[in-house]
Amino acid sequence: MPCKTYKLFDPVSLKILCNTSSAEVFEPNSKHPQLFGNSPINYTTSQVSLPFMFKTTTEYGYIQCNDTIKDVFLKHVTNEYAKSNTEKMYSKLKNNYKTGSDSKPLTVVLFVIDSTSRKSLFRNLNKTVNFFNEEVVKDNSTFSEEFVLYDFLGSNAIRDFTRANMIPMLYGISLETAKMKEKKKSIDKEVDKHFYLKRQIERSVWYYFKKKGFMTMFMNDAVSDYLSEDLGREILVDHQVSNIWKIGKQFFGYDDMAEAHSCIGSSYAHNYSLDYLTEYLNDYKGLNKFAYVHVNTAHENTGMQLSISDRDYRNFFHKLLSSYTHKDENLFFIFMSDHGRYRKEYVTLEGYAEKALPFTIILSTKTLISSHNFHQTLSTNTKRLLSRYDIYKTLKNLAILPYTTITTTSLNYQEINTEFPSVSLLIEEIPKQRTCSDASIDENFCMSDKFSILNPSSNNSTILSFIQISISKINSILIKEISQYCNPLFFNDIKSLQLKKYVTKNEIPPLHYIIVISIKDSKSIFFIDATHSEAKFLKNDPELFKRFTKSKEKLERIGNNTYLSTINKIWSVTKLNIVDGDNVKKNFDIENDKGKCDEKVFYNYNYLWADGYEKCENVCGRYEMECTDPKYLHVFLEMWQGEFEKIDRVAGGSSLEVDDGRLFVGRVDMCSGIGDTIKKICYCVMVR
């Protein structure tokens, strides 16, 4: 639902435009310092006679014409004192480093969307992703000549909450170390204020940028106390934007943890962040600038809030790149999330992956990359395991770039210390052998660990039960949906058996199985995705695909919570054979088809042949299915590697294209991409 729009003030003069003789307003003054998080402040309005104008130096305010018509504004106002100091520092450092006249001012932005997995980015910000692909990445497109994009495929969250991921990026230390030093200090006690400010001076990326001659800005739309518990209320930057969100909470019920999308006055909350950032970058043209923006749009499970903001993000990036095109300034924009968010299937490995695998994208002007020869190192690092500490070191590396080239032996580089080993993504390759432990990633959220290969001749009763239930379910579907004359399927053998253990505090950890089976007298190969656990999980119904799902549950009541104390669940059944969708849908012939009914039905997940010029989203839609990125692609590739002359992983996309007997993986996006091969393989999911 769109926000109610009222034109209650002139955006230039800030004159109130109510059709009344008076209005209730709040205009901040020196008694209202910007305070991060849930600070104990109540904003008192006053009645003013109209006409009335806010001061031109006012960055935010509240207007209420009557009980139902009310709005807020937020605009950037130049900090002339900070601007003058930054200009002096910039000039001084250029002289100290003997910087050449060809040096350009640099803009660095760290923009974080909270709780957004990489998959969620593609699901819910598809217009934004398409803009990146079609207008930046694609050759000879609108922005391809000026800008370059790097998509980091090995981005893995440390844990599944914000503080554990952001403290390493902002301070270069772990959350555990930060909390240990905080002890029993309070961000609301005046006696403890010095501790938080001192730590910002010593560790924070924004204060480091400030010392290196950058304008600085901090914006986080939180009204709850979470990250603020480690950073403090006051942030040592030139522009701190915190109070507008508390205005939103007091007068409009804004909550950064809400499930529903929040309007603050006439606009969605995220638009205030995007507009203010745009104004900030434009108002300090010709100066070095750093901004950290954190948006909590995605704090809910459906993805609806994020999808509503898609067009706004797309438009923001278009304006941003347009403004930096042919501009005598460099841009380095880190667009990322801190962690993902569970969907319904929270017990599955896929559910864990949604939480553990955020996205990380870097957009930069090509002149910055080429002038320092960063491209090869950045490209290599997009395929390695990324650490949150790498972001910290990279940001501090960037603060030096307007003045001099930095190397791994430079004193400026060696002084950037992090609690865990790290590299600057610009000048140092991430070690190939880096482990989750090296990157401080909790073992329960480490997605780079491979499945263990088990003996396929296993007589494990749980595995055999999963197989029996799956085949029984398939047979019942064949009889119901195809014909009562269908020959039943019988299990032949296990072709592949793989296991991944979750690490939990429970005595018996959940076991996640990949079971690939063949069928007697049939070419069909099925992949069963299942979980077995005797751990305790909060009662939920995580059935995403009910067609094959089977559970054995024993409920246990502890206090106010109901737990599953035993769970055997089949999440999905995938047919690994690549099929022609039209053949599946051909009319059933009793005499000729009763022995191959398994070829006449679609399963939870399906691989379909398609023409290379067709989008897979259209191919899947033709058979009333949806396209998605391949699930457990390694299982498919392992099973059919002998069917292709060669399998080439050529890029970071998810497509499967076949050309002259070779399978090319990842040249374009699986669902929306159009390749240049004759044939492709689409991955379609049945969601009924």
Side-chain angles (χ1 to χ4, degrees), residues 155-167:
S155 187
N156 199 129
I158 290 176
R159 291 188 66 188
D160 59 341
F161 58 95
T162 298
R163 292 169 68 190
N165 293 285
M166 292 311 303
I167 295 305

Side-chain angles (χ1 to χ4, degrees), residues 254-270:
Y254 169 72
D255 183 355
D256 58 285
M257 294 291 184
E259 289 289 317
H261 210 94
S262 296
C263 291
I264 300 179
S266 58
S267 186
Y268 291 125
H270 66 268

